[in-house]
């Protein structure tokens, strides 16, 4: 009973840690680092075309599955199947084993139909609590990715707005430029460089 209570308390601490990362606006790499270090394994992030986008390997990890995945030495059909199962159930799905090492897949939910996924490599069996910790962490990671995508979109919009204002014949008032600079974290004393690209022979839509 004492051991079970300790594991539940550890699980609560892991949940609080991920929530704190989410609240602080941590980047994707930090989420992967926490997940990998908690199980002494490797966590690989794949995009929706199953290309390796990011990874983190714990210092204590001595396995071979992560390298095999990194080198593309795996059956894509198995990864597709495990990812589809995870997306259907909302839980992680076993991927493959190599001796005492195992790999699991967790589908991430993203915006605009994105279907990113995680592959987690670890030694030995994970109990139900450890698996749930990973799955909750994957949910936090999904939310973090959505926030990151939103911030990047806002930056693109603000950059476009700033550019339009800067090239106007009659510049806008200083307050307008200052507000846009704040959104882009550009100080007033930072120079802004413009590149002029000359296009000819194509219509306006193609130019845009």
């Amino acid at each position: 009973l004492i051991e079970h209570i300790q594991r539940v308390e550890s699980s609560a601490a892991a949940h609080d840690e991920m929530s704190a990362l989410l609240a602080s606006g941590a980047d994707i790499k930090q989420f992967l680092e926490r997940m990998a270090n908690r199980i002494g394994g490797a966590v690989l992030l794949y995009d929706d075309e199953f290309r390796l986008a990011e990874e983190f390997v714990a210092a204590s990890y001595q396995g071979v599955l992560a390298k095999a995945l990194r080198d593309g030495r795996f059956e894509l059909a198995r990864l597709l199947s495990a990812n589809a199962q995870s997306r259907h159930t909302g839980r992680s799905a076993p991927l493959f084993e190599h001796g005492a090492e195992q790999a699991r897949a967790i589908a991430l939910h993203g915006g605009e139909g994105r279907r990113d996924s995680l592959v987690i490599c670890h030694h030995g069996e994970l109990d139900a609590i450890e698996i749930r910790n990973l799955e909750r962490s994957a949910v936090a990671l999904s939310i973090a990715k959505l926030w990151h995508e939103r911030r990047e979109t806002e930056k693109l919009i603000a950059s476009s707005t700033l550019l339009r204002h800067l090239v106007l014949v009659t510049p806008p008032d200083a307050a307008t430029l200052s507000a846009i600079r704040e959104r882009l974290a550009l100080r007033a004393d930072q120079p802004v460089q413009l590149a002029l690209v000359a296009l000819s022979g194509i219509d306006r839509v193609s130019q845009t």
Side-chain angles (χ1 to χ4, degrees):
L1 179 59
I2 291 174
E3 181 182 355
H4 178 72
I5 291 173
Q6 290 173 339
R7 297 182 74 79
V8 171
E9 289 176 343
S10 176
S11 176
H15 177 73
D16 290 343
E17 186 177 25
M18 284 296 171
S19 298
L21 283 178
L22 188 58
S24 66
D27 59 28
I28 306 303
K29 191 87 171 181
Q30 290 175 283
F31 281 87
L32 301 184
E33 178 182 352
R34 294 294 194 280
M35 294 176 71
N37 285 336
R38 278 205 163 268
I39 60 170
V43 182
L44 298 88
L45 172 64
Y46 287 88
D47 65 17
D48 49 3
E49 295 184 6
F50 294 99
R51 294 173 300 200
L52 184 60
E54 192 68 83
E55 66 174 312
F56 188 88
V57 180
S60 58
Y61 175 73
Q62 301 295 329
V64 298
L65 289 181
K67 186 177 187 306
L69 286 160
R70 194 181 304 116
D71 295 342
R73 293 185 283 109
F74 63 93
E75 295 179 30
L76 181 58
R78 295 179 68 174
L79 182 55
L80 287 167
S81 177
N83 191 52
Q85 179 183 342
S86 174
R87 198 167 298 282
H88 176 70
T89 63
R91 305 289 303 272
S92 63
L95 187 52
F96 38 66
E97 299 181 9
H98 182 273
E101 189 180 2
Q102 298 182 2
R104 308 184 68 85
I106 304 179
L108 299 179
H109 298 278
E112 300 180 355
R114 290 185 61 85
R115 292 179 174 270
D116 297 348
S117 58
L118 292 178
V119 174
I120 300 166
C121 305
H122 58 89
H123 288 284
E125 291 282 345
L126 297 179
D127 64 22
I129 292 178
E130 291 171 322
I131 292 174
R132 288 301 289 165
N133 285 343
L134 291 173
E135 292 166 349
R136 291 191 187 100
S137 297
V139 172
L141 176 60
S142 294
I143 297 171
K145 281 176 60 58
L146 286 171
W147 276 112
H148 177 74
E149 290 169 10
R150 177 179 175 180
R151 287 195 298 268
E152 289 301 310
T153 300
E154 289 176 345
K155 282 184 179 180
L156 287 174
I157 294 172
S159 298
S160 176
T161 303
L162 178 61
L163 179 60
R164 287 200 305 273
H165 284 327
L166 289 173
V167 299
L168 288 175
V169 175
T170 305
D173 60 278
T176 299
L177 287 177
S178 177
I180 301 173
R181 279 183 174 275
E182 286 182 8
R183 290 175 62 186
L184 292 170
L186 290 174
R187 300 191 312 274
D189 59 344
Q190 283 183 290
V192 176
Q193 294 180 331
L194 300 180
L196 177 62
V197 181
L199 302 171
S200 62
I202 57 176
D203 57 27
R204 183 61 180 269
V205 175
S206 300
Q207 290 182 32
T208 303

